[in-house]
Amino acid sequence: MTNKEYIQSILSRVGANETDTEILFAENPSLVPDTKLNLTDCQNALYDSFSSWIPMYSSLSEGDMSISWNWNSVKAIMSQISKKLNKDNPFDEIDNKPKAKAFRPWRY
C-alpha cells in the first residue's frame, strides 16, 4: 500500500474526494504519494490538514454543487490520530465551547 492509497482510503470514509487528496499532498510536500506507506507521516499529514480544514469544511454549497462531510467520522478519525500522535484533538476545543441559548424577552 502506498501513502496515497492510505490517504484516499481514510478520506473516502468522510466523504472527501480526489481533489481533497491532492490538496492534502500539496499541503504536506514531504509526504510522497507513490512511496510505500509510512503510517506516522500519513497520520501527521491527516492531522495537520484536518486541523486546518475543520473551520471551513463543515458544509459547503454553491449553486447546484454541495459538499458535506461525515463529521462524526472526521471526529472519530481525529480522536484516534490525536491519541496515537499524542497531540491535542482540535475538536475538543470546538465541542467544549459553551452553547448559546436563545433569549426570548417577550415570552413569560
Side-chain angles (χ1 to χ4, degrees), residues 1-20:
M1 176 176 270
T2 65
N3 290 329
K4 185 174 184 176
E5 290 168 336
Y6 176 79
I7 295 292
Q8 285 175 326
S9 172
I10 297 297
L11 290 180
S12 69
R13 296 176 193 172
V14 302
N17 58 36
E18 179 68 28
T19 303
D20 297 313

